[in-house]
Amino acid sequence: MSCEGPDCVKALENLYLFLDREIDTASSTEIQSHIDECSDCLSEYDLERVVKTLVSRSCSEVAPEPLRERVLFSIRTVQIEITEQRSS
């Protein structure tokens, strides 16, 4: 990424707040205007938006039962090992 100006820095520093709509209207408008004009920041915005969408979707999916059982078994095994190490 080659974007380095003060507008780029501000836009990228506030990108997550902007994506989550947790930023004031004036700043949101300013960032949107900058993203509309700056292809580097637009690329970064698009990438972060896709990642956010994928993470959100992944968090709502339910793991298959055999996988869930293996993960829980592994967690319990680690818990037992930690408990045994602390006891000795």
Side-chain angles (χ1 to χ4, degrees), residues 9 15 25 34 40 42 62 75 87:
V9 170
L15 190 57
T25 305
H34 177 75
D40 289 331
L42 176 61
V62 177
I75 291 170
S87 299

Side-chain angles (χ1 to χ4, degrees), residues 2 4 6 8 12-13 15 17 19 29-30 42 47-48 61-62 66 68 71 74-75 78 85-86:
S2 64
E4 298 171 359
C8 295
L12 295 176
E13 283 178 349
L15 190 57
L17 294 172
L19 281 166
T29 301
E30 188 177 327
L42 176 61
L47 174 66
E48 295 301 332
E61 294 177 0
V62 177
R68 186 178 184 289
V71 169
S74 294
I75 291 170
V78 169
Q85 287 175 356
R86 288 183 180 163

Side-chain angles (χ1 to χ4, degrees), residues 28-61:
S28 180
T29 301
E30 188 177 327
I31 292 169
Q32 183 64 61
S33 295
H34 177 75
I35 288 172
D36 290 344
E37 296 172 7
C38 178
S39 61
D40 289 331
C41 286
L42 176 61
S43 295
E44 188 70 21
Y45 166 77
D46 285 340
L47 174 66
E48 295 301 332
R49 190 172 44 88
V50 167
V51 169
K52 181 177 168 61
T53 300
L54 289 173
V55 169
S56 175
R57 186 176 65 198
S58 296
C59 291
S60 65
E61 294 177 0

